[in-house]
Amino acid sequence: MNKLLKMVTLTAIAVAAIVVGYYVFFAGIEAALRWYFLATKFTASKVPNFAHNLRSGAEVTIKLTVISSITGLFLGLIAGISRLSKNPLFRWPAQFYVWVIRGTPLLVQILFAYNALPFLLNPIWKFLESLGVPPIQDVLTPYWAAFIALSVNVGAYNAEVIRAGIQAIAKGQWEAAMSLGMSPFQVMRYIIVPQAIKIVVPPLVNNVIALLKDSSLASVITLLELVHHGQRMISITFRPVEVYIAVAAIYLILTTVLTFFTDWLERELARRGAVA
Amino acid sequence: MPIIEMRNVNKWFGALHVLKDINLDVQKGEVVVVIGPSGSGKSTLIRTINALEPIQKGKILVDGIDISKPKNIDEVRKEVGMVFQSFNLFPHMTVLENVSLAPRIVRKWPREKAEQIAMELLERVDIADQAEKYPAQLSGGQQQRVAIARALAMQPKIMLFDEPTSALDPEMVGEVLDAMKELARSGMTMLVVTHEMGFAREVADRVIFMDMGEIIEEGEPDQVFSNPQHERTKSFLARIIH
């Protein structure tokens, strides 16, 4: 009971810290952008607007990255474990998924999700609309199309990482768990996955960092993320050098923060229960 | 009725015939030690009893349950505990979690009951004071005693030991053997693959000598060790008893 209370308190503190940290961080970005644009002699009256736009673009980028990473993690888990299944009904679809996604450009996947998916889903959606679901154009906005494409994309790369991580766990762990009467699912859930996590965290985080940068491709479907906001600003100011430097710097800051976070996470995972 | 019945058991690894027509009965409460040179099939033999190794021919009944039927495998594994040469503790769990996990998720006991019984077992193998530590923080001998407690937590009717002291530093062998002796005295049915002849002499009801996938000779420890009948047994014993 005491333990539970402690966990709830710690979680609440962590959530509060993340929320506060998020606002402080982006307020800091916006302040830095203002200073930078003033220092580089942009029209002073427009600077607050520019800084605000780039900041909101950066926020879209980070939010998209976070939700796509989480979804992609689950997709990767399912596909990665399915690829190891003895049952072809699980193994083949997972293999097909990884093969198609890793073998085609992300740009094409993003365009497909935004432009082609509405056509494909049309028959089903007609039926759903009759049940009161809003039309597909209102649901599959650039943001959610990008979310689908990025999640599915990173999921395929995660699947390969997770498969390798599971295969890295010694056979003796399976044997010990099975000799205690655990079902294959229980062995996965309680023994293999918790250990594999420690092995797969660094490469999975690499995938997240790649995803953060790749989310810029969503600018082609008019998503107002960081790059697209930057391009708009350039079309107004005709100053690509300063703007692209600002855009690149924000990406660099975001990836650096992510790297610090994952270094910490890695240490934390190693601390909790030494890896065998 | 014997608690383990093996009838004409045959196993191949590819073209390699590793178990040849094994016939073996083990009675309830019996302690059987299996000896033999490496590659003789002794580890494979005991691993067939909880179906960690599938067999290609023959029949194994454990407590009357035929383990060649896949649906029976989980049932048998609940009744058969196993201790491995390399301990195979779960490194991401504390000692207490290692021991209480299977009773909780396989036997569906509530956490309190599982942990209470786990503590009693850790007490029994004399390691209760390490309950909150992780396996990597323990010595080899301590880890193997935890592994024994973990297997016992499922309240098995049979315990299999696959060279339980072979990976240990010499000074830690004794503490593990002591735990096994105590278990033998409590009436547990045990099958032990080991090179510890002292242990075999002291607690085994029967010693089985295997070579090249066959049971060559079996009998009471004194008889097998002091008066081996078979040439291969003699030469093996001559090599290991200095």
Short mmCIF file of all heavy atoms in Angstrom, two decimals, chain A residues 25 201-202 205-206 208-209 212 251-269:
data_model
loop_
_atom_site.label_atom_id
_atom_site.label_comp_id
_atom_site.label_asym_id
_atom_site.label_seq_id
_atom_site.Cartn_x
_atom_site.Cartn_y
_atom_site.Cartn_z
N PHE A 25 10.50 25.05 -21.58
CA PHE A 25 11.40 24.77 -22.70
C PHE A 25 10.98 25.57 -23.94
O PHE A 25 11.78 26.27 -24.56
CB PHE A 25 11.39 23.27 -22.99
CG PHE A 25 12.26 22.87 -24.14
CD1 PHE A 25 13.63 22.76 -23.99
CD2 PHE A 25 11.70 22.60 -25.38
CE1 PHE A 25 14.44 22.40 -25.05
CE2 PHE A 25 12.50 22.23 -26.45
CZ PHE A 25 13.87 22.14 -26.29
N VAL A 201 16.57 -0.49 -25.83
CA VAL A 201 16.32 0.94 -25.62
C VAL A 201 17.25 1.83 -26.46
O VAL A 201 16.76 2.71 -27.17
CB VAL A 201 16.36 1.31 -24.12
CG1 VAL A 201 16.64 2.79 -23.93
CG2 VAL A 201 15.03 0.96 -23.48
N PRO A 202 18.57 1.61 -26.45
CA PRO A 202 19.40 2.52 -27.25
C PRO A 202 19.05 2.54 -28.75
O PRO A 202 18.83 3.62 -29.30
CB PRO A 202 20.83 2.00 -27.01
CG PRO A 202 20.73 1.26 -25.72
CD PRO A 202 19.38 0.67 -25.67
N VAL A 205 15.71 4.31 -29.31
CA VAL A 205 15.81 5.76 -29.17
C VAL A 205 16.44 6.37 -30.42
O VAL A 205 16.03 7.44 -30.87
CB VAL A 205 16.60 6.12 -27.91
CG1 VAL A 205 16.97 7.58 -27.93
CG2 VAL A 205 15.77 5.80 -26.69
N ASN A 206 17.39 5.67 -31.00
CA ASN A 206 17.93 6.13 -32.28
C ASN A 206 16.82 6.27 -33.30
O ASN A 206 16.80 7.24 -34.07
CB ASN A 206 18.97 5.13 -32.82
CG ASN A 206 20.33 5.41 -32.25
OD1 ASN A 206 20.59 6.52 -31.78
ND2 ASN A 206 21.19 4.41 -32.30
N VAL A 208 13.75 6.94 -32.64
CA VAL A 208 12.94 8.11 -32.29
C VAL A 208 13.62 9.39 -32.78
O VAL A 208 12.97 10.29 -33.33
CB VAL A 208 12.69 8.18 -30.77
CG1 VAL A 208 12.04 9.50 -30.39
CG2 VAL A 208 11.82 7.01 -30.32
N ILE A 209 14.93 9.44 -32.62
CA ILE A 209 15.66 10.63 -33.08
C ILE A 209 15.55 10.76 -34.60
O ILE A 209 15.32 11.85 -35.13
CB ILE A 209 17.13 10.56 -32.61
CG1 ILE A 209 17.19 10.71 -31.09
CG2 ILE A 209 17.97 11.65 -33.28
CD1 ILE A 209 18.55 10.51 -30.48
N LEU A 212 12.09 12.04 -35.37
CA LEU A 212 11.95 13.47 -35.12
C LEU A 212 12.41 14.26 -36.35
O LEU A 212 11.74 15.19 -36.80
CB LEU A 212 12.79 13.86 -33.89
CG LEU A 212 12.79 15.36 -33.58
CD1 LEU A 212 11.66 15.68 -32.63
CD2 LEU A 212 14.10 15.81 -33.00
N TYR A 251 15.96 21.85 -34.40
CA TYR A 251 16.07 20.38 -34.50
C TYR A 251 17.24 19.87 -33.66
O TYR A 251 17.13 18.88 -32.94
CB TYR A 251 16.26 19.95 -35.96
CG TYR A 251 14.97 19.81 -36.72
CD1 TYR A 251 14.66 20.69 -37.75
CD2 TYR A 251 14.07 18.80 -36.42
CE1 TYR A 251 13.47 20.57 -38.45
CE2 TYR A 251 12.88 18.67 -37.11
CZ TYR A 251 12.58 19.55 -38.13
OH TYR A 251 11.41 19.42 -38.80
N LEU A 252 18.35 20.60 -33.77
CA LEU A 252 19.55 20.17 -33.04
C LEU A 252 19.30 20.18 -31.53
O LEU A 252 19.69 19.25 -30.82
CB LEU A 252 20.72 21.08 -33.41
CG LEU A 252 22.10 20.59 -33.01
CD1 LEU A 252 22.39 19.23 -33.63
CD2 LEU A 252 23.16 21.60 -33.44
N ILE A 253 18.61 21.23 -31.06
CA ILE A 253 18.30 21.31 -29.63
C ILE A 253 17.39 20.14 -29.23
O ILE A 253 17.62 19.46 -28.22
CB ILE A 253 17.64 22.66 -29.28
CG1 ILE A 253 18.67 23.79 -29.45
CG2 ILE A 253 17.10 22.65 -27.85
CD1 ILE A 253 18.06 25.17 -29.43
N LEU A 254 16.36 19.90 -30.04
CA LEU A 254 15.41 18.83 -29.71
C LEU A 254 16.11 17.47 -29.67
O LEU A 254 15.92 16.68 -28.74
CB LEU A 254 14.26 18.79 -30.73
CG LEU A 254 13.30 19.99 -30.70
CD1 LEU A 254 12.25 19.85 -31.80
CD2 LEU A 254 12.62 20.11 -29.34
N THR A 255 16.95 17.19 -30.67
CA THR A 255 17.61 15.88 -30.68
C THR A 255 18.61 15.77 -29.53
O THR A 255 18.79 14.70 -28.96
CB THR A 255 18.34 15.62 -32.01
OG1 THR A 255 19.19 16.72 -32.29
CG2 THR A 255 17.36 15.43 -33.14
N THR A 256 19.24 16.91 -29.18
CA THR A 256 20.20 16.87 -28.07
C THR A 256 19.48 16.57 -26.76
O THR A 256 19.94 15.74 -25.96
CB THR A 256 20.95 18.20 -27.97
OG1 THR A 256 21.54 18.49 -29.24
CG2 THR A 256 22.04 18.13 -26.92
N VAL A 257 18.33 17.23 -26.56
CA VAL A 257 17.56 16.97 -25.34
C VAL A 257 17.15 15.49 -25.28
O VAL A 257 17.28 14.83 -24.25
CB VAL A 257 16.30 17.87 -25.29
CG1 VAL A 257 15.37 17.43 -24.18
CG2 VAL A 257 16.71 19.32 -25.10
N LEU A 258 16.72 14.98 -26.42
CA LEU A 258 16.30 13.58 -26.50
C LEU A 258 17.47 12.65 -26.17
O LEU A 258 17.30 11.63 -25.48
CB LEU A 258 15.80 13.30 -27.92
CG LEU A 258 14.64 12.34 -28.08
CD1 LEU A 258 13.44 12.81 -27.31
CD2 LEU A 258 14.29 12.19 -29.55
N THR A 259 18.64 13.00 -26.66
CA THR A 259 19.82 12.17 -26.38
C THR A 259 20.15 12.18 -24.88
O THR A 259 20.45 11.13 -24.31
CB THR A 259 21.04 12.69 -27.17
OG1 THR A 259 20.65 12.87 -28.52
CG2 THR A 259 22.19 11.71 -27.09
N PHE A 260 20.07 13.36 -24.26
CA PHE A 260 20.31 13.43 -22.81
C PHE A 260 19.31 12.55 -22.07
O PHE A 260 19.66 11.79 -21.17
CB PHE A 260 20.18 14.88 -22.31
CG PHE A 260 21.42 15.69 -22.51
CD1 PHE A 260 21.36 16.97 -23.05
CD2 PHE A 260 22.66 15.18 -22.14
CE1 PHE A 260 22.51 17.70 -23.24
CE2 PHE A 260 23.82 15.92 -22.33
CZ PHE A 260 23.74 17.18 -22.89
N PHE A 261 18.03 12.67 -22.47
CA PHE A 261 16.99 11.90 -21.80
C PHE A 261 17.26 10.41 -21.90
O PHE A 261 17.14 9.67 -20.93
CB PHE A 261 15.63 12.24 -22.43
CG PHE A 261 14.53 11.29 -22.03
CD1 PHE A 261 14.03 11.29 -20.73
CD2 PHE A 261 14.02 10.37 -22.94
CE1 PHE A 261 13.04 10.40 -20.36
CE2 PHE A 261 13.03 9.48 -22.57
CZ PHE A 261 12.55 9.50 -21.28
N THR A 262 17.66 9.97 -23.09
CA THR A 262 17.84 8.53 -23.27
C THR A 262 19.10 8.03 -22.59
O THR A 262 19.14 6.91 -22.11
CB THR A 262 17.89 8.17 -24.75
OG1 THR A 262 18.90 8.95 -25.35
CG2 THR A 262 16.58 8.44 -25.40
N ASP A 263 20.14 8.89 -22.53
CA ASP A 263 21.32 8.50 -21.75
C ASP A 263 20.91 8.25 -20.30
O ASP A 263 21.33 7.27 -19.68
CB ASP A 263 22.38 9.61 -21.81
CG ASP A 263 23.07 9.64 -23.16
OD1 ASP A 263 22.85 8.70 -23.95
OD2 ASP A 263 23.81 10.60 -23.42
N TRP A 264 20.06 9.14 -19.78
CA TRP A 264 19.59 8.99 -18.41
C TRP A 264 18.77 7.70 -18.27
O TRP A 264 18.95 6.93 -17.33
CB TRP A 264 18.75 10.21 -18.03
CG TRP A 264 18.00 10.06 -16.75
CD1 TRP A 264 18.49 10.24 -15.49
CD2 TRP A 264 16.64 9.64 -16.59
NE1 TRP A 264 17.52 9.97 -14.56
CE2 TRP A 264 16.37 9.59 -15.20
CE3 TRP A 264 15.62 9.30 -17.49
CZ2 TRP A 264 15.13 9.22 -14.70
CZ3 TRP A 264 14.39 8.92 -16.97
CH2 TRP A 264 14.15 8.89 -15.60
N LEU A 265 17.88 7.47 -19.25
CA LEU A 265 17.02 6.30 -19.21
C LEU A 265 17.85 5.01 -19.22
O LEU A 265 17.58 4.07 -18.48
CB LEU A 265 16.07 6.32 -20.41
CG LEU A 265 14.93 5.31 -20.40
CD1 LEU A 265 13.95 5.62 -19.29
CD2 LEU A 265 14.21 5.31 -21.74
N GLU A 266 18.88 5.01 -20.05
CA GLU A 266 19.76 3.85 -20.13
C GLU A 266 20.43 3.56 -18.79
O GLU A 266 20.47 2.43 -18.33
CB GLU A 266 20.86 4.10 -21.16
CG GLU A 266 20.74 3.28 -22.42
CD GLU A 266 21.79 3.70 -23.41
OE1 GLU A 266 22.93 3.20 -23.31
OE2 GLU A 266 21.49 4.54 -24.27
N ARG A 267 20.94 4.63 -18.17
CA ARG A 267 21.58 4.47 -16.86
C ARG A 267 20.58 3.94 -15.84
O ARG A 267 20.88 3.08 -15.04
CB ARG A 267 22.15 5.81 -16.39
CG ARG A 267 23.52 6.14 -16.95
CD ARG A 267 24.23 7.19 -16.10
NE ARG A 267 23.41 8.37 -15.88
CZ ARG A 267 23.34 9.40 -16.74
NH1 ARG A 267 24.06 9.38 -17.84
NH2 ARG A 267 22.59 10.45 -16.48
N GLU A 268 19.36 4.50 -15.90
CA GLU A 268 18.33 4.13 -14.95
C GLU A 268 17.96 2.65 -15.10
O GLU A 268 17.83 1.92 -14.12
CB GLU A 268 17.11 5.03 -15.20
CG GLU A 268 16.15 5.13 -14.06
CD GLU A 268 16.77 5.68 -12.79
OE1 GLU A 268 17.88 6.26 -12.82
OE2 GLU A 268 16.15 5.50 -11.75
N LEU A 269 17.82 2.21 -16.36
CA LEU A 269 17.48 0.81 -16.61
C LEU A 269 18.60 -0.11 -16.14
O LEU A 269 18.35 -1.19 -15.62
CB LEU A 269 17.23 0.59 -18.11
CG LEU A 269 15.88 1.08 -18.64
CD1 LEU A 269 15.86 1.02 -20.15
CD2 LEU A 269 14.75 0.27 -18.07
#
